[in-house]
Amino acid sequence: MANPKSHILTGLLLSSALAVPALAADPGECARIRLSDPGWTDITVTNAVASVLLEGLGYQPEISNLSVPIGYEAIKTGDIDVFLGNWMPAQTAFVEDLGDAAEVVVRNLDGAKFTLAVAPVGAELGVADFSDLAEHADAFGRTIYGIEPGAPANENIRRIIDSADFGLEGWRLVESGEQAMLAQVARNERSGTPTVFLAWAPHPMNTQFDITYLSGGDEYFGPNYGGAEVFTLARTGWTDACPNAAAFFVNLVFDIEMENALMDAVLNEGADPQQAARDWLNENPTVLEAWLDGVTTLAGEPGQAAVEAELGL
């Protein structure tokens, strides 16, 4: 796949074709829907919402915790049906590597961002741009905190360190899971140690910390502070084989406020993702009309009525 933009356009055209009422139930082999979760809370909660709704429709969602590269490989081998976390342009290389093995179903989120940032102690040093970091190398311990090994954003950080663009030669990247990274940021803030780390929205970290997103990283993370769109991918052939489930995923689009609320419930209140999704749906039932428009149960019955009954609405 030479051009990811044409790939996305193809996917959006696919979405238009799918966004029509399903005329019949899916075949029985579509009952099991395999989803991938790279361990990011935003994808954990959107997978949870999808799973609650799919169960109400009579499907059997299965979520596998797979790192980003392994998840993409699983799409290619046909072991994953749907992935809700195709962050673009950060994952362009993975999308290109998929070739014709996947289709873009829909853009499920816009207004996201993803780049390096500092918390207040770092901002107090006057750090607001990538070019400000080298001057304060000793204060930062020449360390950048990333996310889980294999994430494309970590590769961007390595490229930054290896380049001469910002004078960060000799810095090190610490790779860890999302929650471990944020715990480190919190510890550093308490001790007065500045931290530069990967930050993004949606995420409740934006309310936990007064985050300063760094300018100057357009070449590595894209413009507008790594401004991103998130797409839903499906393995090629799945949308044709399971058109009713595919129509559901075409309808399933999110917003920043919703994801922040769900992520906050999971990360800061300790809620189970599935229960957080159920609670949110019970508090926001109006979303069901758009998400289940033209969608039936696996057995061919009206989808919205079945989900409302399952939720006790």
Side-chain angles (χ1 to χ4, degrees):
M1 184 179 305
N3 186 343
K5 290 185 178 179
S6 65
H7 175 71
I8 289 173
L9 177 59
T10 300
L12 294 178
L13 290 174
L14 169 68
S15 299
S16 298
L18 285 173
V20 295
L23 300 178
D26 281 339
E29 55 265 29
C30 293
R32 185 172 66 133
I33 299 177
R34 300 165 298 174
L35 300 149
S36 177
D37 184 344
W40 303 342
T41 311
D42 59 324
I43 309 306
T44 297
V45 298
T46 54
N47 275 342
V49 170
S51 295
V52 168
L53 297 173
L54 286 169
E55 288 171 356
L57 294 170
Y59 291 88
Q60 300 163 15
E62 296 180 1
I63 300 172
S64 296
N65 293 313
L66 304 171
S67 69
V68 172
I70 294 175
Y72 274 98
E73 185 63 24
I75 294 173
K76 185 184 291 188
T77 59
D79 295 316
I80 288 294
D81 301 311
V82 179
F83 179 44
L84 298 179
N86 171 221
W87 278 68
M88 295 293 284
Q91 294 177 8
T92 296
F94 288 101
V95 172
E96 290 177 338
D97 185 62
L98 282 174
D100 295 328
E103 302 168 326
V104 177
V105 176
V106 73
R107 179 178 61 197
N108 68 50
L109 183 72
D110 59 15
K113 55 186 175 182
F114 190 34
T115 190
L116 293 183
V118 294
V121 174
E124 289 167 6
L125 296 175
V127 175
D129 188 272
F130 279 53
S131 62
D132 298 328
L133 291 168
E135 179 184 352
H136 303 283
D138 289 340
F140 283 102
R142 290 179 168 80
T143 300
I144 300 173
Y145 291 91
I147 48 177
E148 77 283 347
N154 288 349
E155 299 309 310
N156 283 344
I157 294 172
R158 286 195 179 89
R159 288 172 54 220
I160 291 168
I161 292 172
D162 292 341
S163 77
D165 288 351
F166 305 107
L168 302 181
E169 300 91 337
W171 285 51
R172 69 184 181 116
L173 166 67
V174 175
E175 298 181 294
S176 64
E178 166 194 317
Q179 295 185 48
M181 179 192 73
L182 293 175
Q184 183 66 56
V185 174
R187 285 193 295 270
N188 286 359
E189 284 295 296
R190 288 194 295 270
S191 68
T193 303
T195 316
V196 57
F197 61 102
L198 277 170
W200 61 91
H203 197 283
M205 72 171 81
N206 295 279
T207 57
Q208 182 181 1
F209 304 108
D210 183 9
I211 291 175
T212 297
Y213 287 87
L214 302 185
S215 58
D218 292 14
E219 180 180 345
Y220 296 93
F221 289 97
N224 301 317
Y225 301 96
E229 300 172 304
V230 185
F231 293 84
T232 299
L233 300 184
R235 63 176 176 81
T236 297
W238 181 82
T239 56
D240 289 335
C242 307
N244 182 65
F248 163 75
F249 280 106
V250 168
N251 291 346
L252 191 65
V253 296
F254 312 107
D255 60 50
I256 298 289
E257 182 179 358
M258 170 211 168
E259 292 197 21
N260 278 343
L262 283 165
M263 295 164 77
D264 183 66
V266 171
L267 289 176
N268 298 328
E269 299 175 16
D272 172 78
Q274 296 267 333
Q275 189 58 53
R278 283 182 169 273
D279 291 344
W280 189 89
L281 288 165
N282 275 280
E283 294 168 4
N284 299 272
T286 57
V287 298
L288 297 177
E289 182 175 356
W291 283 352
L292 299 172
D293 182 32
V295 176
T296 72
T297 66
L298 180 64
E301 300 298 326
Q304 184 173 346
V307 170
E308 288 176 344
E310 174 67 20
L311 293 172
L313 297 174

mmCIF file of all heavy atoms in Angstrom, residues 28-77:
data_model
loop_
_atom_site.group_PDB
_atom_site.id
_atom_site.type_symbol
_atom_site.label_atom_id
_atom_site.label_comp_id
_atom_site.label_asym_id
_atom_site.label_seq_id
_atom_site.Cartn_x
_atom_site.Cartn_y
_atom_site.Cartn_z
ATOM 1 N N GLY A 28 -24.323 -17.438 11.006
ATOM 2 C CA GLY A 28 -23.900 -17.860 12.332
ATOM 3 C C GLY A 28 -22.410 -17.742 12.571
ATOM 4 O O GLY A 28 -21.972 -17.491 13.699
ATOM 5 N N GLU A 29 -21.599 -17.903 11.520
ATOM 6 C CA GLU A 29 -20.154 -17.826 11.713
ATOM 7 C C GLU A 29 -19.674 -16.416 12.055
ATOM 8 O O GLU A 29 -18.516 -16.213 12.436
ATOM 9 C CB GLU A 29 -19.407 -18.336 10.476
ATOM 10 C CG GLU A 29 -19.765 -17.654 9.178
ATOM 11 C CD GLU A 29 -20.847 -18.421 8.410
ATOM 12 O OE1 GLU A 29 -21.675 -19.102 9.044
ATOM 13 O OE2 GLU A 29 -20.837 -18.328 7.172
ATOM 14 N N CYS A 30 -20.571 -15.436 11.951
ATOM 15 C CA CYS A 30 -20.219 -14.066 12.329
ATOM 16 C C CYS A 30 -20.446 -13.794 13.813
ATOM 17 O O CYS A 30 -20.143 -12.689 14.293
ATOM 18 C CB CYS A 30 -21.046 -13.064 11.519
ATOM 19 S SG CYS A 30 -20.657 -13.062 9.749
ATOM 20 N N ALA A 31 -20.963 -14.762 14.534
ATOM 21 C CA ALA A 31 -21.306 -14.530 15.940
ATOM 22 C C ALA A 31 -20.086 -14.112 16.751
ATOM 23 O O ALA A 31 -20.148 -13.194 17.567
ATOM 24 C CB ALA A 31 -21.932 -15.785 16.543
ATOM 25 N N ARG A 32 -18.959 -14.762 16.524
ATOM 26 C CA ARG A 32 -17.739 -14.433 17.262
ATOM 27 C C ARG A 32 -17.021 -13.291 16.553
ATOM 28 O O ARG A 32 -16.698 -13.391 15.362
ATOM 29 C CB ARG A 32 -16.818 -15.647 17.360
ATOM 30 C CG ARG A 32 -15.593 -15.405 18.222
ATOM 31 C CD ARG A 32 -14.821 -16.687 18.454
ATOM 32 N NE ARG A 32 -14.233 -17.194 17.224
ATOM 33 C CZ ARG A 32 -12.958 -17.608 17.114
ATOM 34 N NH1 ARG A 32 -12.167 -17.574 18.154
ATOM 35 N NH2 ARG A 32 -12.510 -18.079 15.969
ATOM 36 N N ILE A 33 -16.787 -12.207 17.277
ATOM 37 C CA ILE A 33 -16.089 -11.053 16.721
ATOM 38 C C ILE A 33 -14.843 -10.811 17.554
ATOM 39 O O ILE A 33 -14.928 -10.519 18.749
ATOM 40 C CB ILE A 33 -16.990 -9.805 16.704
ATOM 41 C CG1 ILE A 33 -18.225 -10.062 15.833
ATOM 42 C CG2 ILE A 33 -16.214 -8.586 16.182
ATOM 43 C CD1 ILE A 33 -19.211 -8.915 15.807
ATOM 44 N N ARG A 34 -13.690 -10.922 16.932
ATOM 45 C CA ARG A 34 -12.414 -10.850 17.632
ATOM 46 C C ARG A 34 -11.834 -9.433 17.523
ATOM 47 O O ARG A 34 -11.610 -8.937 16.418
ATOM 48 C CB ARG A 34 -11.457 -11.878 17.055
ATOM 49 C CG ARG A 34 -11.973 -13.317 17.179
ATOM 50 C CD ARG A 34 -11.215 -14.277 16.287
ATOM 51 N NE ARG A 34 -11.365 -13.918 14.881
ATOM 52 C CZ ARG A 34 -10.701 -14.520 13.885
ATOM 53 N NH1 ARG A 34 -9.846 -15.503 14.153
ATOM 54 N NH2 ARG A 34 -10.879 -14.139 12.633
ATOM 55 N N LEU A 35 -11.610 -8.821 18.684
ATOM 56 C CA LEU A 35 -11.115 -7.452 18.764
ATOM 57 C C LEU A 35 -9.731 -7.436 19.403
ATOM 58 O O LEU A 35 -9.403 -8.299 20.214
ATOM 59 C CB LEU A 35 -12.069 -6.595 19.602
ATOM 60 C CG LEU A 35 -13.500 -6.476 19.087
ATOM 61 C CD1 LEU A 35 -14.475 -6.304 20.234
ATOM 62 C CD2 LEU A 35 -13.607 -5.303 18.121
ATOM 63 N N SER A 36 -8.934 -6.418 19.056
ATOM 64 C CA SER A 36 -7.591 -6.286 19.603
ATOM 65 C C SER A 36 -7.515 -5.084 20.527
ATOM 66 O O SER A 36 -8.097 -4.031 20.248
ATOM 67 C CB SER A 36 -6.582 -6.123 18.460
ATOM 68 O OG SER A 36 -5.276 -5.914 18.952
ATOM 69 N N ASP A 37 -6.787 -5.232 21.640
ATOM 70 C CA ASP A 37 -6.566 -4.142 22.594
ATOM 71 C C ASP A 37 -5.069 -4.050 22.879
ATOM 72 O O ASP A 37 -4.490 -4.973 23.436
ATOM 73 C CB ASP A 37 -7.335 -4.418 23.891
ATOM 74 C CG ASP A 37 -7.236 -3.272 24.901
ATOM 75 O OD1 ASP A 37 -6.352 -2.412 24.746
ATOM 76 O OD2 ASP A 37 -8.034 -3.248 25.841
ATOM 77 N N PRO A 38 -4.410 -2.935 22.486
ATOM 78 C CA PRO A 38 -2.964 -2.807 22.718
ATOM 79 C C PRO A 38 -2.599 -2.418 24.144
ATOM 80 O O PRO A 38 -1.436 -2.148 24.429
ATOM 81 C CB PRO A 38 -2.559 -1.715 21.727
ATOM 82 C CG PRO A 38 -3.772 -0.866 21.585
ATOM 83 C CD PRO A 38 -4.953 -1.805 21.721
ATOM 84 N N GLY A 39 -3.593 -2.361 25.038
ATOM 85 C CA GLY A 39 -3.323 -1.982 26.412
ATOM 86 C C GLY A 39 -3.475 -0.506 26.673
ATOM 87 O O GLY A 39 -3.086 -0.020 27.737
ATOM 88 N N TRP A 40 -4.056 0.222 25.733
ATOM 89 C CA TRP A 40 -4.321 1.646 25.910
ATOM 90 C C TRP A 40 -5.730 1.797 26.465
ATOM 91 O O TRP A 40 -6.683 1.191 25.961
ATOM 92 C CB TRP A 40 -4.224 2.393 24.586
ATOM 93 C CG TRP A 40 -2.908 2.241 23.888
ATOM 94 C CD1 TRP A 40 -1.737 1.823 24.425
ATOM 95 C CD2 TRP A 40 -2.655 2.510 22.507
ATOM 96 N NE1 TRP A 40 -0.755 1.817 23.467
ATOM 97 C CE2 TRP A 40 -1.279 2.232 22.286
ATOM 98 C CE3 TRP A 40 -3.446 2.955 21.449
ATOM 99 C CZ2 TRP A 40 -0.690 2.394 21.037
ATOM 100 C CZ3 TRP A 40 -2.863 3.119 20.212
ATOM 101 C CH2 TRP A 40 -1.499 2.844 20.018
ATOM 102 N N THR A 41 -5.895 2.632 27.464
ATOM 103 C CA THR A 41 -7.194 2.735 28.117
ATOM 104 C C THR A 41 -8.271 3.236 27.168
ATOM 105 O O THR A 41 -9.435 2.833 27.280
ATOM 106 C CB THR A 41 -7.112 3.652 29.346
ATOM 107 O OG1 THR A 41 -5.992 3.264 30.142
ATOM 108 C CG2 THR A 41 -8.361 3.540 30.196
ATOM 109 N N ASP A 42 -7.914 4.114 26.216
ATOM 110 C CA ASP A 42 -8.941 4.593 25.288
ATOM 111 C C ASP A 42 -9.502 3.443 24.464
ATOM 112 O O ASP A 42 -10.720 3.372 24.234
ATOM 113 C CB ASP A 42 -8.408 5.719 24.389
ATOM 114 C CG ASP A 42 -7.210 5.320 23.559
ATOM 115 O OD1 ASP A 42 -6.373 4.551 24.060
ATOM 116 O OD2 ASP A 42 -7.098 5.788 22.408
ATOM 117 N N ILE A 43 -8.652 2.528 24.028
ATOM 118 C CA ILE A 43 -9.142 1.390 23.252
ATOM 119 C C ILE A 43 -9.823 0.376 24.162
ATOM 120 O O ILE A 43 -10.807 -0.267 23.771
ATOM 121 C CB ILE A 43 -8.002 0.730 22.457
ATOM 122 C CG1 ILE A 43 -7.228 1.791 21.662
ATOM 123 C CG2 ILE A 43 -8.563 -0.336 21.512
ATOM 124 C CD1 ILE A 43 -8.104 2.654 20.762
ATOM 125 N N THR A 44 -9.352 0.251 25.390
ATOM 126 C CA THR A 44 -10.024 -0.636 26.347
ATOM 127 C C THR A 44 -11.473 -0.220 26.551
ATOM 128 O O THR A 44 -12.383 -1.061 26.556
ATOM 129 C CB THR A 44 -9.287 -0.624 27.698
ATOM 130 O OG1 THR A 44 -7.963 -1.134 27.517
ATOM 131 C CG2 THR A 44 -10.010 -1.473 28.730
ATOM 132 N N VAL A 45 -11.712 1.098 26.703
ATOM 133 C CA VAL A 45 -13.091 1.529 26.969
ATOM 134 C C VAL A 45 -13.946 1.509 25.708
ATOM 135 O O VAL A 45 -15.142 1.189 25.788
ATOM 136 C CB VAL A 45 -13.133 2.911 27.651
ATOM 137 C CG1 VAL A 45 -12.437 2.859 29.001
ATOM 138 C CG2 VAL A 45 -12.561 4.021 26.785
ATOM 139 N N THR A 46 -13.370 1.814 24.547
ATOM 140 C CA THR A 46 -14.191 1.736 23.331
ATOM 141 C C THR A 46 -14.489 0.278 22.990
ATOM 142 O O THR A 46 -15.592 -0.042 22.530
ATOM 143 C CB THR A 46 -13.521 2.459 22.152
ATOM 144 O OG1 THR A 46 -12.189 1.970 21.942
ATOM 145 C CG2 THR A 46 -13.477 3.960 22.394
ATOM 146 N N ASN A 47 -13.527 -0.616 23.246
ATOM 147 C CA ASN A 47 -13.818 -2.044 23.087
ATOM 148 C C ASN A 47 -14.922 -2.486 24.039
ATOM 149 O O ASN A 47 -15.772 -3.318 23.691
ATOM 150 C CB ASN A 47 -12.566 -2.876 23.368
ATOM 151 C CG ASN A 47 -11.656 -3.035 22.159
ATOM 152 O OD1 ASN A 47 -12.071 -2.815 21.037
ATOM 153 N ND2 ASN A 47 -10.415 -3.406 22.409
ATOM 154 N N ALA A 48 -14.912 -1.937 25.261
ATOM 155 C CA ALA A 48 -15.931 -2.309 26.241
ATOM 156 C C ALA A 48 -17.315 -1.861 25.789
ATOM 157 O O ALA A 48 -18.294 -2.614 25.897
ATOM 158 C CB ALA A 48 -15.598 -1.709 27.600
ATOM 159 N N VAL A 49 -17.402 -0.635 25.276
ATOM 160 C CA VAL A 49 -18.686 -0.149 24.761
ATOM 161 C C VAL A 49 -19.163 -1.038 23.625
ATOM 162 O O VAL A 49 -20.325 -1.474 23.587
ATOM 163 C CB VAL A 49 -18.562 1.314 24.288
ATOM 164 C CG1 VAL A 49 -19.817 1.740 23.522
ATOM 165 C CG2 VAL A 49 -18.340 2.240 25.476
ATOM 166 N N ALA A 50 -18.257 -1.327 22.675
ATOM 167 C CA ALA A 50 -18.632 -2.185 21.550
ATOM 168 C C ALA A 50 -19.083 -3.550 22.036
ATOM 169 O O ALA A 50 -20.083 -4.108 21.546
ATOM 170 C CB ALA A 50 -17.452 -2.326 20.588
ATOM 171 N N SER A 51 -18.381 -4.102 23.027
ATOM 172 C CA SER A 51 -18.708 -5.445 23.514
ATOM 173 C C SER A 51 -20.075 -5.492 24.177
ATOM 174 O O SER A 51 -20.856 -6.433 23.948
ATOM 175 C CB SER A 51 -17.639 -5.916 24.499
ATOM 176 O OG SER A 51 -16.396 -6.059 23.848
ATOM 177 N N VAL A 52 -20.383 -4.490 25.007
ATOM 178 C CA VAL A 52 -21.694 -4.458 25.666
ATOM 179 C C VAL A 52 -22.799 -4.411 24.622
ATOM 180 O O VAL A 52 -23.808 -5.137 24.720
ATOM 181 C CB VAL A 52 -21.783 -3.255 26.623
ATOM 182 C CG1 VAL A 52 -23.221 -3.043 27.092
ATOM 183 C CG2 VAL A 52 -20.866 -3.464 27.817
ATOM 184 N N LEU A 53 -22.622 -3.590 23.614
ATOM 185 C CA LEU A 53 -23.647 -3.469 22.576
ATOM 186 C C LEU A 53 -23.739 -4.743 21.742
ATOM 187 O O LEU A 53 -24.846 -5.209 21.417
ATOM 188 C CB LEU A 53 -23.345 -2.268 21.693
ATOM 189 C CG LEU A 53 -23.372 -0.905 22.400
ATOM 190 C CD1 LEU A 53 -22.888 0.195 21.470
ATOM 191 C CD2 LEU A 53 -24.765 -0.580 22.918
ATOM 192 N N LEU A 54 -22.586 -5.308 21.385
ATOM 193 C CA LEU A 54 -22.600 -6.530 20.577
ATOM 194 C C LEU A 54 -23.246 -7.682 21.335
ATOM 195 O O LEU A 54 -23.994 -8.481 20.738
ATOM 196 C CB LEU A 54 -21.165 -6.895 20.177
ATOM 197 C CG LEU A 54 -20.535 -6.022 19.093
ATOM 198 C CD1 LEU A 54 -19.041 -6.301 18.989
ATOM 199 C CD2 LEU A 54 -21.212 -6.234 17.737
ATOM 200 N N GLU A 55 -22.975 -7.782 22.623
ATOM 201 C CA GLU A 55 -23.621 -8.841 23.410
ATOM 202 C C GLU A 55 -25.128 -8.656 23.427
ATOM 203 O O GLU A 55 -25.892 -9.629 23.347
ATOM 204 C CB GLU A 55 -23.056 -8.844 24.827
ATOM 205 C CG GLU A 55 -21.629 -9.373 24.900
ATOM 206 C CD GLU A 55 -20.995 -9.174 26.257
ATOM 207 O OE1 GLU A 55 -21.642 -8.544 27.133
ATOM 208 O OE2 GLU A 55 -19.852 -9.639 26.444
ATOM 209 N N GLY A 56 -25.580 -7.413 23.516
ATOM 210 C CA GLY A 56 -27.015 -7.153 23.454
ATOM 211 C C GLY A 56 -27.629 -7.535 22.122
ATOM 212 O O GLY A 56 -28.822 -7.837 22.045
ATOM 213 N N LEU A 57 -26.791 -7.529 21.086
ATOM 214 C CA LEU A 57 -27.250 -7.908 19.748
ATOM 215 C C LEU A 57 -27.112 -9.407 19.490
ATOM 216 O O LEU A 57 -27.464 -9.881 18.404
ATOM 217 C CB LEU A 57 -26.453 -7.137 18.684
ATOM 218 C CG LEU A 57 -26.661 -5.621 18.651
ATOM 219 C CD1 LEU A 57 -25.635 -4.973 17.725
ATOM 220 C CD2 LEU A 57 -28.085 -5.266 18.206
ATOM 221 N N GLY A 58 -26.593 -10.134 20.470
ATOM 222 C CA GLY A 58 -26.474 -11.585 20.322
ATOM 223 C C GLY A 58 -25.145 -12.060 19.784
ATOM 224 O O GLY A 58 -24.975 -13.253 19.497
ATOM 225 N N TYR A 59 -24.153 -11.163 19.656
ATOM 226 C CA TYR A 59 -22.822 -11.552 19.190
ATOM 227 C C TYR A 59 -21.956 -11.959 20.380
ATOM 228 O O TYR A 59 -22.329 -11.757 21.546
ATOM 229 C CB TYR A 59 -22.165 -10.403 18.423
ATOM 230 C CG TYR A 59 -22.815 -10.107 17.086
ATOM 231 C CD1 TYR A 59 -23.888 -9.224 16.993
ATOM 232 C CD2 TYR A 59 -22.354 -10.711 15.909
ATOM 233 C CE1 TYR A 59 -24.487 -8.950 15.772
ATOM 234 C CE2 TYR A 59 -22.949 -10.433 14.686
ATOM 235 C CZ TYR A 59 -24.018 -9.549 14.621
ATOM 236 O OH TYR A 59 -24.607 -9.283 13.414
ATOM 237 N N GLN A 60 -20.795 -12.506 20.090
ATOM 238 C CA GLN A 60 -19.866 -12.962 21.123
ATOM 239 C C GLN A 60 -18.512 -12.280 20.912
ATOM 240 O O GLN A 60 -17.605 -12.847 20.295
ATOM 241 C CB GLN A 60 -19.704 -14.483 21.060
ATOM 242 C CG GLN A 60 -20.994 -15.254 21.255
ATOM 243 C CD GLN A 60 -20.880 -16.686 20.781
ATOM 244 O OE1 GLN A 60 -19.789 -17.206 20.551
ATOM 245 N NE2 GLN A 60 -22.025 -17.336 20.627
ATOM 246 N N PRO A 61 -18.347 -11.062 21.410
ATOM 247 C CA PRO A 61 -17.062 -10.383 21.243
ATOM 248 C C PRO A 61 -15.971 -11.029 22.077
ATOM 249 O O PRO A 61 -16.212 -11.459 23.208
ATOM 250 C CB PRO A 61 -17.362 -8.958 21.721
ATOM 251 C CG PRO A 61 -18.516 -9.114 22.667
ATOM 252 C CD PRO A 61 -19.343 -10.235 22.130
ATOM 253 N N GLU A 62 -14.787 -11.113 21.503
ATOM 254 C CA GLU A 62 -13.616 -11.638 22.198
ATOM 255 C C GLU A 62 -12.494 -10.616 22.051
ATOM 256 O O GLU A 62 -12.140 -10.240 20.942
ATOM 257 C CB GLU A 62 -13.168 -12.975 21.621
ATOM 258 C CG GLU A 62 -14.183 -14.090 21.787
ATOM 259 C CD GLU A 62 -13.701 -15.412 21.190
ATOM 260 O OE1 GLU A 62 -12.558 -15.441 20.672
ATOM 261 O OE2 GLU A 62 -14.461 -16.381 21.235
ATOM 262 N N ILE A 63 -11.941 -10.161 23.168
ATOM 263 C CA ILE A 63 -10.903 -9.134 23.144
ATOM 264 C C ILE A 63 -9.567 -9.771 23.510
ATOM 265 O O ILE A 63 -9.441 -10.406 24.557
ATOM 266 C CB ILE A 63 -11.234 -7.994 24.125
ATOM 267 C CG1 ILE A 63 -12.559 -7.343 23.739
ATOM 268 C CG2 ILE A 63 -10.115 -6.951 24.135
ATOM 269 C CD1 ILE A 63 -13.077 -6.330 24.751
ATOM 270 N N SER A 64 -8.574 -9.587 22.638
ATOM 271 C CA SER A 64 -7.222 -10.082 22.888
ATOM 272 C C SER A 64 -6.299 -8.905 23.170
ATOM 273 O O SER A 64 -6.305 -7.917 22.434
ATOM 274 C CB SER A 64 -6.697 -10.855 21.675
ATOM 275 O OG SER A 64 -7.475 -12.012 21.433
ATOM 276 N N ASN A 65 -5.526 -9.009 24.251
ATOM 277 C CA ASN A 65 -4.551 -7.975 24.576
ATOM 278 C C ASN A 65 -3.272 -8.241 23.789
ATOM 279 O O ASN A 65 -2.524 -9.179 24.091
ATOM 280 C CB ASN A 65 -4.269 -7.967 26.081
ATOM 281 C CG ASN A 65 -5.478 -7.525 26.878
ATOM 282 O OD1 ASN A 65 -6.107 -6.531 26.556
ATOM 283 N ND2 ASN A 65 -5.811 -8.275 27.914
ATOM 284 N N LEU A 66 -3.050 -7.408 22.778
ATOM 285 C CA LEU A 66 -1.924 -7.585 21.869
ATOM 286 C C LEU A 66 -1.212 -6.256 21.680
ATOM 287 O O LEU A 66 -1.865 -5.224 21.507
ATOM 288 C CB LEU A 66 -2.407 -8.100 20.502
ATOM 289 C CG LEU A 66 -3.233 -9.396 20.491
ATOM 290 C CD1 LEU A 66 -3.804 -9.647 19.104
ATOM 291 C CD2 LEU A 66 -2.377 -10.566 20.946
ATOM 292 N N SER A 67 0.103 -6.265 21.693
ATOM 293 C CA SER A 67 0.840 -5.046 21.403
ATOM 294 C C SER A 67 0.499 -4.565 19.999
ATOM 295 O O SER A 67 -0.035 -5.318 19.179
ATOM 296 C CB SER A 67 2.345 -5.295 21.520
ATOM 297 O OG SER A 67 2.786 -6.149 20.477
ATOM 298 N N VAL A 68 0.827 -3.319 19.720
ATOM 299 C CA VAL A 68 0.475 -2.749 18.415
ATOM 300 C C VAL A 68 1.011 -3.590 17.255
ATOM 301 O O VAL A 68 0.243 -3.996 16.375
ATOM 302 C CB VAL A 68 0.947 -1.281 18.308
ATOM 303 C CG1 VAL A 68 0.766 -0.759 16.884
ATOM 304 C CG2 VAL A 68 0.165 -0.404 19.278
ATOM 305 N N PRO A 69 2.309 -3.906 17.196
ATOM 306 C CA PRO A 69 2.776 -4.686 16.038
ATOM 307 C C PRO A 69 2.170 -6.080 15.966
ATOM 308 O O PRO A 69 1.850 -6.558 14.868
ATOM 309 C CB PRO A 69 4.300 -4.741 16.239
ATOM 310 C CG PRO A 69 4.545 -4.366 17.652
ATOM 311 C CD PRO A 69 3.427 -3.472 18.058
ATOM 312 N N ILE A 70 1.982 -6.727 17.116
ATOM 313 C CA ILE A 70 1.397 -8.072 17.087
ATOM 314 C C ILE A 70 -0.073 -7.995 16.685
ATOM 315 O O ILE A 70 -0.583 -8.850 15.952
ATOM 316 C CB ILE A 70 1.576 -8.761 18.452
ATOM 317 C CG1 ILE A 70 3.064 -9.017 18.708
ATOM 318 C CG2 ILE A 70 0.792 -10.065 18.520
ATOM 319 C CD1 ILE A 70 3.378 -9.580 20.077
ATOM 320 N N GLY A 71 -0.772 -6.963 17.140
ATOM 321 C CA GLY A 71 -2.165 -6.786 16.754
ATOM 322 C C GLY A 71 -2.326 -6.604 15.258
ATOM 323 O O GLY A 71 -3.233 -7.180 14.633
ATOM 324 N N TYR A 72 -1.449 -5.810 14.679
ATOM 325 C CA TYR A 72 -1.526 -5.622 13.226
ATOM 326 C C TYR A 72 -1.183 -6.904 12.482
ATOM 327 O O TYR A 72 -1.790 -7.224 11.453
ATOM 328 C CB TYR A 72 -0.610 -4.476 12.794
ATOM 329 C CG TYR A 72 -1.272 -3.126 12.879
ATOM 330 C CD1 TYR A 72 -1.074 -2.300 13.977
ATOM 331 C CD2 TYR A 72 -2.123 -2.678 11.878
ATOM 332 C CE1 TYR A 72 -1.692 -1.071 14.082
ATOM 333 C CE2 TYR A 72 -2.746 -1.448 11.961
ATOM 334 C CZ TYR A 72 -2.534 -0.646 13.068
ATOM 335 O OH TYR A 72 -3.166 0.573 13.162
ATOM 336 N N GLU A 73 -0.215 -7.643 12.990
ATOM 337 C CA GLU A 73 0.107 -8.919 12.365
ATOM 338 C C GLU A 73 -1.081 -9.875 12.454
ATOM 339 O O GLU A 73 -1.350 -10.646 11.513
ATOM 340 C CB GLU A 73 1.331 -9.541 13.039
ATOM 341 C CG GLU A 73 1.833 -10.817 12.388
ATOM 342 C CD GLU A 73 2.323 -10.620 10.961
ATOM 343 O OE1 GLU A 73 2.712 -9.494 10.591
ATOM 344 O OE2 GLU A 73 2.300 -11.621 10.200
ATOM 345 N N ALA A 74 -1.834 -9.820 13.571
ATOM 346 C CA ALA A 74 -3.001 -10.682 13.732
ATOM 347 C C ALA A 74 -4.114 -10.316 12.756
ATOM 348 O O ALA A 74 -4.877 -11.188 12.317
ATOM 349 C CB ALA A 74 -3.508 -10.609 15.176
ATOM 350 N N ILE A 75 -4.226 -9.032 12.410
ATOM 351 C CA ILE A 75 -5.175 -8.643 11.362
ATOM 352 C C ILE A 75 -4.743 -9.271 10.041
ATOM 353 O O ILE A 75 -5.556 -9.835 9.296
ATOM 354 C CB ILE A 75 -5.258 -7.114 11.240
ATOM 355 C CG1 ILE A 75 -5.856 -6.495 12.498
ATOM 356 C CG2 ILE A 75 -6.095 -6.720 10.012
ATOM 357 C CD1 ILE A 75 -5.803 -4.974 12.513
ATOM 358 N N LYS A 76 -3.451 -9.179 9.775
ATOM 359 C CA LYS A 76 -2.927 -9.685 8.502
ATOM 360 C C LYS A 76 -3.139 -11.192 8.374
ATOM 361 O O LYS A 76 -3.459 -11.698 7.285
ATOM 362 C CB LYS A 76 -1.441 -9.345 8.381
ATOM 363 C CG LYS A 76 -0.833 -9.727 7.044
ATOM 364 C CD LYS A 76 0.671 -9.454 7.005
ATOM 365 C CE LYS A 76 0.980 -7.984 7.017
ATOM 366 N NZ LYS A 76 2.438 -7.729 6.795
ATOM 367 N N THR A 77 -2.976 -11.914 9.483
ATOM 368 C CA THR A 77 -3.132 -13.369 9.430
ATOM 369 C C THR A 77 -4.583 -13.819 9.576
ATOM 370 O O THR A 77 -4.866 -15.019 9.523
ATOM 371 C CB THR A 77 -2.294 -14.031 10.540
ATOM 372 O OG1 THR A 77 -2.723 -13.535 11.819
ATOM 373 C CG2 THR A 77 -0.814 -13.745 10.351
#
